[in-house]
Amino acid sequence: MPFNYYVIYKPFQVLTRFGKEDGKDSLADYFKVPSDVYPVGRLDYDSEGLLILSNDKSLNNKLLDPKFAHEREYWVQVDGAIDDPAIRQLRQGVQITVDGKKYQTRRCNAEIFNTEPVVPERNPPIRFRKNIPAPWIKLVLREGKNRQVRKMTAAAGFPTLRLIRYRIAGVTIEGIQPGQMREMSQREIYGLLFG
């Protein structure tokens, strides 16, 4: 049986599944794929960006097994003028709560964007406040706890306003907009993820 591989840009406020829940939009409202295709991993309802869809179970295992520690790059708009001490704190790891227990995040790459990244408009947009800056930072993690990025920026004192997953290993959302999809071959996606 041939496997299918899709790279999608999951829009804001869309569930990372094909079934409905509480009248919320799901992937089925945006993407038409074979019925045995499912999301590899997850992306929160209020987050947006890169999601891989496939019916290749071995891809799922390789991508989600912590021992492989694939890089995941997030573009995060934060509330307030984040500074170098907060960035250093994020790089070294911060304490968050996971399943009711304290957890120290691993070291990661963190930096402030010098110029605002070019990203699609979000609907609805983040709340604009004239006197409070909302800069963008880049976080590159090698782990993926539930709501980890939001918990990390909050722990550093700068809550997340908007969160976009831009990249997993070599796969990015470059050139696709929210609600769009790009089909890939097994060779292509495996090369970008594990090459």
Side-chain angles (χ1 to χ4, degrees):
M1 182 188 89
F3 290 127
N4 303 96
Y5 304 91
Y6 306 93
V7 171
I8 68 167
Y9 189 130
K10 184 189 90 65
F12 176 63
Q13 292 187 335
V14 171
L15 296 168
T16 302
R17 61 172 155 276
F18 284 93
K20 285 280 191 194
E21 178 190 297
D22 301 330
K24 295 175 177 174
D25 280 355
S26 77
L27 297 177
D29 292 299
Y30 292 87
F31 306 103
K32 301 293 171 248
V33 295
S35 60
D36 62 341
V37 166
Y38 54 88
V40 178
R42 64 178 184 267
L43 198 52
D44 295 328
Y45 177 70
D46 49 359
S47 299
E48 56 191 291
L50 176 64
L51 197 58
I52 296 170
L53 306 179
S54 183
N55 50 2
D56 178 352
K57 287 187 172 44
S58 70
L59 174 68
N60 197 42
N61 296 336
K62 285 182 182 138
L63 211 49
L64 301 182
D65 189 326
K67 78 177 176 207
F68 293 110
H70 298 290
E71 283 191 348
R72 294 165 174 82
E73 180 177 323
Y74 297 90
W75 293 2
V76 192
Q77 192 172 19
V78 295
D79 193 6
I82 195 164
D83 52 16
D84 288 336
I87 291 291
R88 276 196 300 278
Q89 196 181 353
L90 289 169
R91 282 183 189 143
Q92 289 162 3
V94 292
Q95 196 166 83
I96 62 173
T97 304
V98 177
D99 299 327
K101 298 181 184 76
K102 296 283 183 207
Y103 176 77
Q104 182 72 21
T105 62
R106 292 185 193 157
R107 289 180 166 273
C108 70
N109 296 340
E111 62 187 72
I112 301 170
F113 276 96
N114 292 326
T115 55
E116 197 169 297
V118 177
V119 297
E121 291 290 316
R122 194 185 85 179
N123 188 18
I126 67 156
R127 191 174 80 239
F128 176 75
R129 292 175 299 173
K130 196 168 66 175
N131 300 322
I132 299 174
W136 287 86
I137 64 170
K138 181 191 296 183
L139 282 179
V140 181
L141 310 182
R142 289 181 170 272
E143 60 180 341
K145 303 294 181 193
N146 187 28
R147 297 184 75 78
Q148 180 169 344
V149 171
R150 292 175 188 281
K151 290 175 182 177
M152 286 175 70
T153 68
F158 297 89
T160 293
L161 296 172
R162 186 175 179 191
L163 177 56
I164 301 172
R165 180 161 57 199
Y166 177 75
R167 175 176 69 85
I168 299 173
V171 177
T172 74
I173 50 169
E174 183 72 35
I176 58 176
Q177 295 291 310
Q180 291 183 342
M181 164 169 85
R182 182 168 55 227
E183 190 165 5
M184 295 180 117
S185 68
Q186 183 177 48
R187 182 182 203 162
E188 194 178 9
I189 200 158
Y190 271 64
L192 290 168
L193 291 172
F194 313 114

